[in-house]
Amino acid sequence: MLRTHTCGELRISDINSTVKLSGWVQRSRDLGGMTFIDLRDRYGITQLVFNMETHPKQGEQARKLGREYVIQITGKVAERSNKNAKIATGDIEIIVDDLTILNKAKLPPFTIEDDTDGGEELRMKYRYLDLRRNPLRKAMELRHKMAITTRNYLDKQGFFEIETPYLIKSTPEGARDFIVPSRMNANQFYALPQSPQTFKQLLMVAGYDRYYQIVKCFRDEDLRADRQPEFTQIDCEMAFVEQEDILNTFEGLTSYLFKEVKGLDISNFPRMDYADAMKFYGSDKPDMRFDMRFVELNDLAQNKGFVVFDQAELVIGINASGMAEYTRKQLDQLTDFVKKPQIGAAGLVYVKYNTDGTLKSSVDKFYSSEELQKWAERFAAKPGDLMLILSGGTDKVRKQLNELRLEMGNRMGLRNPNTFAPLWVVDFPLLEWDEESGRYHAMHHPFTSPKKEDIELLSTDPGKVRANAYDLVINGVEIGGGSIRIHDRDLQKLMFKHLGFTDEEAQAQFGFLMDAFEFGAPPHGGVAFGFDRITSLFGGSDSIRDYIAFPKNNSGRDIMIDSPSPIAQEQLDELRLNLVKAKK
Amino acid sequence: MLRTHTCGELRISDINSTVKLSGWVQRSRDLGGMTFIDLRDRYGITQLVFNMETHPKQGEQARKLGREYVIQITGKVAERSNKNAKIATGDIEIIVDDLTILNKAKLPPFTIEDDTDGGEELRMKYRYLDLRRNPLRKAMELRHKMAITTRNYLDKQGFFEIETPYLIKSTPEGARDFIVPSRMNANQFYALPQSPQTFKQLLMVAGYDRYYQIVKCFRDEDLRADRQPEFTQIDCEMAFVEQEDILNTFEGLTSYLFKEVKGLDISNFPRMDYADAMKFYGSDKPDMRFDMRFVELNDLAQNKGFVVFDQAELVIGINASGMAEYTRKQLDQLTDFVKKPQIGAAGLVYVKYNTDGTLKSSVDKFYSSEELQKWAERFAAKPGDLMLILSGGTDKVRKQLNELRLEMGNRMGLRNPNTFAPLWVVDFPLLEWDEESGRYHAMHHPFTSPKKEDIELLSTDPGKVRANAYDLVINGVEIGGGSIRIHDRDLQKLMFKHLGFTDEEAQAQFGFLMDAFEFGAPPHGGVAFGFDRITSLFGGSDSIRDYIAFPKNNSGRDIMIDSPSPIAQEQLDELRLNLVKAKK
């Protein structure tokens, strides 16, 4: 070993030991007779002291060390006169006897500090330097801890980790596949998995009972800031279970992670119907760190002469508790906020419940104090509260009010990243109507089972059919979801039919699964959690990119290795492919 | 839950409990008044009893159950009159009160028994049925246990599991890449990783100190029986270490696996130079479960008139202890064995050291008893031994004798799959000459460091340069290998030059790594173990395919899902690709 200890290890009890350390030069201070160097590795920082009087050669060397040089030193542990309580090794320093430069370093293009001066693009190009910074190191350590803790929990629960293949088959249903040309099978292609869905179901058919994997998945989609072409999920499946069994198992996992990784006791995982989530929060992933439920006002607010409300399908609002003192300017900001094109409301109505008990609104012209008093009662508002009201088409206005609710949550400090409020959203619709293709799509995926009591609706009112599907939402972030699957060939066939597959298409793409259902498939279901997502949530961040060692940018490029890139014509020839030159 | 217990759980202490079980019908025996059913799940088998007198309806149902039907039963645990000591639940049976058929099953195309009647192809097509059989279930369970045990060991040793990307960059060095067309970056391609090599080195540059991953790797090679286009490795890297530190860490891992997974104490991991391995065993992966070292005879056997030996570069043999009583027929079999085209020896010379002390050889014409006696001394042979001698060109004859040694090991019962003999082979050559391309190739990979004392030979005698490279071999199987890497830009550049890269090519393909070496790269090295391989070794098998849940066949096809397969023209259009129709 090129060291006897790490840079985070030595304590006051080690005084007078001779030690060997290796690491990076974080910082150096040349005080003439003495040079101090902060030596850094993954484990911490240790102060080195070079004494020009006793060790002039080493002192001279030390003066010339640049930032990020890799060095090895031998020396004696001494007590520090001015201790540094901020670091674990702050009680000691090393009086250096010997110094070896293991590798030089050019000046990094940005500072290796918690707050760096490097821009996004530069830090992506030199990702290996960015990864040296504390915030990223902590993110990677957190990710490691999340993974091993997840595995140990699932192992103890009897789950087998079973690897499913990466070279599978392209299926046009769902998102776009990445494809992989086969050289040995000319003009044929593998696809990279969007998820191990069919394989994990086959493992249930094979009797494996409880399966899990922390596994890479791939989607060739146009990227948004929080999407990556390759992402990781905690993927699980269980047999002989009902929905509640799965919810219990995975809230067990989530609680365990909170406890082991963050030392938090979080055991309350309420359930909410999808229909209620939409009605009361305007979102299928409501942030439950605060309530601020939607209140509907149609009966109270319509037919009083205010034409905007009269023409609206829904008049709906929230009560911002204690915000009655909002100024005109603040109210204008809120109005501007809801009128942003991304949100698209026409305007915002407010009612202030003043501390003196009077009510003041932007629609005083149309409503009497008594009428507004009834609104306040509906909102359960108290003096000092501020009611904010939108109106419009039901679906649209709910979405708009959801944005306003979250904005108010931010403004009111109700969304602390260190508070965690989980929620299971259940009873999702099975199908959703797609305007573009003019047909129903599976909201979850084609393998999700409909609720038994709703199966009859499939032929009469497919949009009304509820699925045995559920999502885990924490702090308004969708951590993952799952469903009880179909395990019967006929029902699966019926589902494909409703999704617009011909029998031939269904058989060609998913015949292996439907065949498998005929050989003794047990009832089963599962869940997939976004591992990048849950890790960043635990880290208190909403950027998954900081929790991925080597992420891609929004064009799907790895800037560091400069990929994707052109390949040699011989490679294309072997694969029997020709490029169609891009024009546009 | 659709059960209160699994089929492997109930014991005599559970008698009189009412239980609910779910599982598959393994076997049923209809004895008229009673029907017995073996109910199977992942955890075991439980006997069910249907009594026609007390439960005629259930009894009638039970009679009609076919193999592999999925059922759920409720019943009472009772003591069995004729106990079955072979299974853990053999003391009890369930007197069934109620039966629900959860799913029917068509007759499986082969029997779900330890010894099945299904052929390879059929079992691949219905892999989910083959996976129900005990041997495969045990293989998957073993694999799971190997994985979690590996992770826990490495976690305790301070290794971080860090995921490296799957969509990387194609580099022509090494094996052939699978490539992935990018839609967002027209006419450009990702490649799937043959290993995370460069990324794990960058993680060392980033200061992560100890990295590991159990990770899929991809090679588009023509397949042999024991190769898969996608395979899994335990991939590790450490900084601030020397070769011995890495060997110690990973023999620690291997010992721990033997102990935790198989209950074996295996702590002896001798080291052997590559040169010695070739000289004494004719292989860089000698099976050390038995010795039978090569003995060289040139000085004793040449110039005595036997022209075959006289013309040979090397006369070399092994001593098969106690095999002097081999018959003419058995010796002929051995001769046929070494003359097989795959081995290619011209013939085999034997010397029997008879129990009466006399020596009898196939070359008595040329050698006196005294001369053969000297051979025997060289072999350290005792009366009763059989010496087997080959001759020819050095490299060839060593390889041939290696085959003969292994064959004798098999015949003599010295290769028990439940005995494990690890060995580190060290000091591999850095380069090997490739006849086809007329240049040197990296024996390991271009990032392996040469031994310091051999660097000068790079320009004068490159084939002689030894590398800081090592392989772990167990029972003659290469479990994995690794090296101390280059961490210096100039040396890395020199290596690329010796491997025939122009500076421009080296920079275009590996510039990011060489750049990284300039920003403070620590000395580092690592190892990669073949996870499929070590698991099958622990399972006592030499077929990795049985230890992979969904393997591909020798043409790289997944027969079950019928992949690879053609894709839609729209997909090709989006990727700006055209097919070149295959002619040949």
Side-chain angles (χ1 to χ4, degrees):
Chain A
M1 288 278 182
L2 304 184
R3 63 188 173 205
T4 56
H5 297 78
T6 70
C7 295
E9 200 174 348
L10 294 166
R11 298 288 182 274
I12 200 93
S13 55
D14 296 302
I15 278 173
N16 288 326
S17 329
T18 296
V19 298
K20 198 192 285 179
L21 298 185
S22 292
W24 285 263
V25 173
Q26 175 73 24
R27 201 173 284 114
S28 86
R29 280 154 294 147
D30 182 353
L31 305 184
M34 303 274 240
T35 294
F36 291 93
I37 283 185
D38 283 351
L39 190 67
R40 186 197 72 228
D41 66 12
R42 192 187 92 187
Y43 309 91
I45 281 185
T46 299
Q47 178 164 290
L48 311 179
V49 185
F50 294 82
N51 186 326
M52 282 303 282
E53 255 175 56
T54 59
H55 294 79
K57 186 176 138 250
Q58 288 79 2
E60 211 48 68
Q61 274 184 296
R63 282 181 169 170
K64 292 183 194 142
L65 294 175
R67 278 182 173 237
E68 302 303 315
Y69 269 48
V70 186
I71 63 170
Q72 181 189 43
I73 60 97
T74 310
K76 198 167 261 186
V77 183
E79 184 166 2
R80 267 168 85 158
S81 50
N82 58 337
K83 300 197 170 52
N84 180 349
K86 282 187 202 154
I87 59 173
T89 63
D91 289 348
I92 59 98
E93 60 193 6
I94 314 292
I95 313 299
V96 176
D97 288 318
D98 208 18
L99 166 66
T100 308
I101 296 176
L102 295 173
N103 214 343
K104 292 183 180 179
K106 292 202 300 195
L107 192 70
F110 49 86
T111 56
I112 312 293
E113 302 281 355
D114 290 9
D115 288 311
T116 179
D117 56 354
E120 175 84 10
E121 184 89 0
L122 198 63
R123 286 188 288 121
M124 287 282 272
K125 180 168 163 65
Y126 296 96
R127 183 72 173 176
Y128 47 87
L129 296 180
D130 204 23
L131 284 167
R132 284 186 191 165
R133 296 191 308 112
N134 262 324
L136 276 117
R137 187 186 53 67
K138 281 185 191 156
M140 293 306 127
E141 186 165 1
L142 173 67
R143 189 178 176 111
H144 163 68
K145 202 159 182 204
M146 296 287 286
I148 191 84
T149 308
T150 297
R151 294 187 207 284
N152 283 327
Y153 178 84
L154 293 173
D155 177 57
K156 279 188 200 99
Q157 297 286 322
F159 285 78
F160 280 170
E161 179 185 5
I162 301 178
E163 292 168 63
T164 52
Y166 278 85
L167 296 172
I168 65 165
K169 187 173 172 170
S170 187
T171 53
E173 180 70 7
R176 209 184 276 106
D177 286 321
F178 281 105
I179 59 148
V180 181
S182 166
R183 179 183 55 88
M184 295 215 284
N185 300 271
N187 300 157
Q188 299 196 356
F189 297 81
Y190 303 100
L192 299 179
Q194 295 184 29
S195 95
Q197 185 61 35
T198 51
F199 289 95
K200 67 177 175 174
Q201 292 192 241
L202 290 175
L203 287 172
M204 294 305 104
V205 176
Y208 283 79
D209 207 78
R210 295 181 163 211
Y211 141 93
Y212 91 93
Q213 206 180 178
I214 299 184
V215 64
K216 275 279 175 76
C217 302
F218 304 86
R219 276 181 209 173
D220 183 13
E221 291 299 319
D222 299 323
L223 302 174
R224 299 195 310 252
D226 61 342
R227 284 266 181 95
Q228 287 280 318
E230 50 176 308
F231 56 97
T232 305
Q233 66 189 36
I234 305 174
D235 193 57
C236 302
E237 198 79 3
M238 303 171 80
F240 300 117
V241 288
E242 290 161 316
Q243 177 165 312
E244 267 302 308
D245 302 316
I246 296 183
L247 302 195
N248 288 331
T249 303
F250 293 95
E251 68 189 50
L253 168 63
T254 310
S255 276
Y256 187 74
L257 285 169
F258 275 121
K259 185 72 192 168
E260 294 294 311
V261 176
K262 296 194 72 77
L264 297 174
D265 286 304
I266 291 179
S267 55
N268 185 26
F269 287 72
R271 280 97 169 113
M272 186 185 291
D273 286 355
Y274 171 87
D276 283 349
M278 297 311 289
K279 184 177 166 77
F280 295 121
Y281 301 95
S283 166
D284 59 1
K285 37 178 193 279
D287 184 343
M288 299 309 287
R289 279 174 295 186
F290 62 108
D291 192 8
M292 216 186 280
R293 261 188 184 222
F294 293 2
V295 170
E296 298 186 357
L297 295 176
N298 286 32
D299 56 332
L300 298 179
Q302 287 182 324
N303 305 317
K304 307 285 178 180
F306 183 38
V307 65
V308 174
F309 281 2
D310 288 352
Q311 288 175 351
E313 197 180 354
L314 184 63
V315 181
I316 189 167
I318 50 176
N319 179 34
S321 183
M323 294 292 115
E325 297 192 353
Y326 252 37
T327 61
R328 178 82 233 163
K329 195 177 156 198
Q330 286 171 305
L331 290 166
D332 284 349
Q333 281 172 350
L334 287 185
T335 306
D336 290 346
F337 175 83
V338 297
K339 286 167 93 173
K340 282 195 302 186
Q342 309 92 293
I343 298 183
L348 172 68
V349 167
Y350 70 82
V351 182
K352 284 181 174 183
Y353 199 155
N354 295 315
T355 43
D356 63 7
T358 62
L359 288 151
K360 163 84 192 123
S361 85
S362 53
V363 287
D364 283 349
K365 242 196 286 187
F366 304 101
Y367 301 95
S368 66
S369 278
E370 291 68 34
E371 282 167 336
L372 294 180
Q373 190 61 46
K374 282 191 184 147
W375 294 18
E377 279 164 30
R378 176 77 52 89
F379 276 108
K382 300 175 308 295
D385 288 359
L386 172 69
M387 293 157 264
L388 299 167
I389 300 151
L390 298 177
S391 63
T394 302
D395 290 353
K396 266 194 187 162
V397 74
R398 281 178 176 164
K399 276 182 197 152
Q400 291 160 357
L401 192 59
N402 167 50
E403 298 291 344
L404 181 61
R405 175 179 174 271
L406 295 177
E407 171 67 14
M408 289 312 294
N410 286 336
R411 286 168 172 251
M412 294 164 68
L414 302 172
R415 304 183 74 194
N416 178 350
N418 296 313
T419 302
F420 296 93
L423 174 75
W424 284 108
V425 178
V426 300
D427 293 359
F428 273 78
L430 182 69
L431 303 167
E432 59 186 346
W433 182 256
D434 183 60
E435 288 294 344
E436 207 177 312
S437 57
R439 63 176 181 86
Y440 281 104
H441 282 253
M443 193 154 185
H444 200 69
H445 53 51
F447 315 108
T448 299
S449 65
K451 289 209 172 281
K452 244 185 205 154
E453 58 269 35
D454 290 359
I455 290 184
E456 285 196 357
L457 291 171
L458 262 178
S459 31
T460 56
D461 195 354
K464 279 264 160 58
V465 178
R466 290 166 307 154
N468 294 308
Y470 34 82
D471 274 359
L472 177 62
V473 175
I474 305 180
N475 294 2
V477 176
E478 185 198 321
I479 293 305
S483 63
I484 298 294
R485 327 298 185 188
I486 297 167
H487 65 279
D488 174 89
R489 185 189 179 99
D490 293 336
L491 184 56
Q492 187 65 68
K493 238 177 117 175
L494 185 66
M495 265 304 287
F496 282 128
K497 202 183 116 194
H498 280 288
L499 294 171
F501 286 65
T502 64
D503 276 1
E504 292 68 35
E505 285 166 350
Q507 187 61 33
Q509 289 171 35
F510 298 109
F512 63 95
L513 185 67
M514 290 194 292
D515 290 350
F517 286 169
E518 292 191 305
F519 287 104
H524 62 286
V527 105
F529 281 1
F531 187 60
D532 309 305
R533 181 77 57 209
I534 194 171
T535 303
S536 66
L537 178 87
F538 270 59
S541 162
D542 48 16
S543 155
I544 61 169
R545 215 180 269 180
D546 291 344
Y547 294 81
I548 297 172
F550 299 102
K552 295 189 172 51
N553 74 5
N554 283 352
S555 321
R557 293 199 71 80
D558 183 326
I559 300 178
M560 180 184 70
I561 64 170
D562 190 24
S563 167
S565 57
I567 57 170
Q569 186 58 44
E570 300 84 68
Q571 281 176 286
L572 291 168
D573 291 345
E574 274 200 317
L575 296 169
R576 299 204 180 81
L577 290 176
N578 267 343
L579 300 183
V580 180
K581 289 295 173 197
K583 260 195 242 167
K584 29 180 182 178
Chain B
M1 289 279 180
L2 303 184
R3 64 190 172 204
T4 55
H5 297 78
T6 70
C7 295
E9 201 174 347
L10 294 166
R11 298 290 182 274
I12 200 93
S13 57
D14 296 302
I15 277 173
N16 288 326
S17 331
T18 296
V19 298
K20 200 191 285 178
L21 298 185
S22 292
W24 284 263
V25 173
Q26 174 73 23
R27 201 172 284 113
S28 86
R29 279 154 295 147
D30 181 354
L31 305 184
M34 303 274 242
T35 295
F36 291 93
I37 284 186
D38 284 351
L39 190 67
R40 186 197 73 228
D41 65 12
R42 192 188 92 185
Y43 310 90
I45 281 183
T46 299
Q47 177 163 293
L48 310 179
V49 185
F50 294 82
N51 187 325
M52 283 301 283
E53 253 175 59
T54 59
H55 294 79
K57 187 177 138 249
Q58 289 78 0
E60 210 49 66
Q61 274 183 298
R63 282 182 170 169
K64 291 183 194 141
L65 294 175
R67 279 183 173 236
E68 302 303 317
Y69 270 49
V70 186
I71 63 170
Q72 181 188 43
I73 61 97
T74 310
K76 197 167 264 187
V77 184
E79 184 166 4
R80 265 166 88 158
S81 49
N82 58 336
K83 299 197 169 57
N84 179 351
K86 282 187 204 154
I87 59 173
T89 61
D91 288 349
I92 59 96
E93 60 193 6
I94 315 292
I95 311 299
V96 176
D97 287 319
D98 208 19
L99 165 66
T100 307
I101 296 177
L102 296 173
N103 214 343
K104 293 183 180 179
K106 291 203 300 195
L107 193 69
F110 50 86
T111 56
I112 313 293
E113 301 281 354
D114 290 9
D115 290 309
T116 179
D117 56 354
E120 175 84 9
E121 184 89 0
L122 198 62
R123 287 189 288 120
M124 288 280 274
K125 179 168 163 66
Y126 297 96
R127 184 70 174 178
Y128 48 87
L129 296 179
D130 204 21
L131 284 167
R132 284 185 192 167
R133 296 191 309 113
N134 262 323
L136 276 107
R137 188 184 54 68
K138 281 184 191 156
M140 293 305 125
E141 186 166 2
L142 173 67
R143 189 177 177 112
H144 164 69
K145 202 159 180 202
M146 296 287 286
I148 191 85
T149 308
T150 297
R151 294 185 204 279
N152 283 327
Y153 179 84
L154 293 173
D155 178 57
K156 279 189 200 97
Q157 297 286 321
F159 285 78
F160 280 169
E161 179 184 6
I162 302 179
E163 293 168 63
T164 52
Y166 278 85
L167 296 172
I168 65 164
K169 188 174 171 168
S170 188
T171 54
E173 180 70 7
R176 207 183 279 107
D177 287 321
F178 281 106
I179 59 148
V180 182
S182 166
R183 181 182 54 86
M184 294 216 284
N185 300 271
N187 299 158
Q188 299 196 355
F189 297 81
Y190 304 100
L192 300 178
Q194 294 183 30
S195 95
Q197 185 61 33
T198 51
F199 290 95
K200 67 178 175 173
Q201 291 192 242
L202 289 175
L203 287 172
M204 295 304 105
V205 176
Y208 284 79
D209 208 79
R210 296 183 162 210
Y211 141 93
Y212 92 92
Q213 207 181 176
I214 298 184
V215 64
K216 275 280 174 78
C217 301
F218 304 86
R219 275 179 211 174
D220 184 14
E221 293 298 320
D222 298 323
L223 302 173
R224 300 194 309 252
D226 61 342
R227 284 266 182 97
Q228 287 279 319
E230 50 178 308
F231 56 97
T232 305
Q233 65 188 36
I234 305 174
D235 193 57
C236 301
E237 198 79 2
M238 303 170 80
F240 300 117
V241 288
E242 289 161 317
Q243 178 166 313
E244 267 301 308
D245 302 317
I246 297 183
L247 303 194
N248 288 331
T249 303
F250 292 96
E251 68 190 51
L253 168 62
T254 311
S255 276
Y256 186 74
L257 285 170
F258 275 121
K259 185 72 191 168
E260 294 294 310
V261 178
K262 297 194 71 77
L264 296 174
D265 286 303
I266 290 178
S267 55
N268 186 26
F269 286 71
R271 281 96 168 113
M272 186 184 292
D273 286 355
Y274 172 86
D276 283 350
M278 297 311 289
K279 184 178 166 74
F280 295 121
Y281 301 96
S283 166
D284 59 2
K285 37 178 192 279
D287 185 343
M288 300 308 287
R289 281 173 294 186
F290 62 108
D291 193 10
M292 217 186 277
R293 261 189 183 219
F294 293 2
V295 170
E296 298 186 358
L297 295 176
N298 286 32
D299 56 332
L300 298 179
Q302 287 183 324
N303 304 317
K304 308 284 176 180
F306 182 40
V307 67
V308 174
F309 280 3
D310 289 352
Q311 289 175 350
E313 197 181 354
L314 184 65
V315 182
I316 190 166
I318 50 175
N319 180 34
S321 183
M323 295 292 114
E325 296 192 355
Y326 253 38
T327 61
R328 180 80 234 163
K329 197 178 154 199
Q330 287 171 305
L331 290 165
D332 285 349
Q333 282 172 351
L334 287 185
T335 307
D336 291 345
F337 174 83
V338 297
K339 287 167 93 171
K340 281 194 304 186
Q342 309 94 293
I343 300 184
L348 171 68
V349 167
Y350 69 83
V351 183
K352 284 183 174 181
Y353 199 155
N354 295 315
T355 43
D356 63 6
T358 61
L359 288 151
K360 165 81 192 121
S361 86
S362 54
V363 286
D364 284 349
K365 246 198 283 192
F366 304 102
Y367 302 95
S368 68
S369 276
E370 289 71 31
E371 284 167 335
L372 293 180
Q373 190 63 44
K374 282 190 184 148
W375 295 17
E377 279 163 31
R378 175 74 55 88
F379 276 107
K382 302 174 308 295
D385 289 357
L386 172 68
M387 292 157 266
L388 298 167
I389 300 153
L390 297 176
S391 63
T394 302
D395 291 352
K396 263 194 189 163
V397 73
R398 282 178 175 163
K399 275 182 198 154
Q400 291 160 358
L401 192 59
N402 167 50
E403 299 290 345
L404 181 60
R405 177 179 173 272
L406 294 177
E407 171 67 13
M408 289 311 294
N410 286 336
R411 285 166 173 252
M412 294 163 69
L414 301 173
R415 304 184 74 196
N416 177 352
N418 296 313
T419 302
F420 297 93
L423 174 75
W424 285 108
V425 178
V426 299
D427 293 358
F428 273 78
L430 182 70
L431 303 167
E432 60 185 346
W433 182 257
D434 183 60
E435 287 295 344
E436 208 176 311
S437 58
R439 63 176 181 85
Y440 280 104
H441 282 252
M443 193 155 183
H444 200 70
H445 53 52
F447 315 108
T448 299
S449 66
K451 289 209 172 281
K452 246 187 203 151
E453 59 269 34
D454 290 359
I455 289 184
E456 286 195 356
L457 290 171
L458 262 178
S459 31
T460 57
D461 195 353
K464 278 263 160 58
V465 178
R466 290 165 307 155
N468 294 309
Y470 34 81
D471 274 359
L472 176 63
V473 175
I474 305 179
N475 294 3
V477 176
E478 184 198 323
I479 293 305
S483 63
I484 299 293
R485 327 297 184 185
I486 296 168
H487 64 280
D488 174 89
R489 186 188 178 98
D490 293 336
L491 184 55
Q492 187 65 68
K493 237 177 119 174
L494 184 68
M495 265 303 288
F496 282 128
K497 200 183 118 193
H498 280 288
L499 294 170
F501 286 65
T502 65
D503 277 1
E504 291 68 35
E505 285 167 350
Q507 188 62 32
Q509 288 170 37
F510 298 109
F512 63 96
L513 185 66
M514 290 194 292
D515 290 349
F517 287 170
E518 292 191 305
F519 288 104
H524 62 284
V527 103
F529 281 0
F531 187 60
D532 309 306
R533 181 77 57 212
I534 194 171
T535 303
S536 67
L537 178 88
F538 269 59
S541 162
D542 48 15
S543 156
I544 62 169
R545 214 179 273 180
D546 291 344
Y547 293 81
I548 296 172
F550 299 101
K552 295 191 172 49
N553 75 4
N554 283 353
S555 320
R557 292 200 70 81
D558 183 326
I559 300 178
M560 180 184 70
I561 64 169
D562 191 24
S563 167
S565 56
I567 58 170
Q569 186 59 43
E570 300 85 66
Q571 281 177 285
L572 291 168
D573 291 345
E574 274 200 316
L575 297 168
R576 297 205 180 80
L577 289 176
N578 266 343
L579 299 183
V580 180
K581 288 294 172 199
K583 259 194 240 164
K584 27 180 183 180

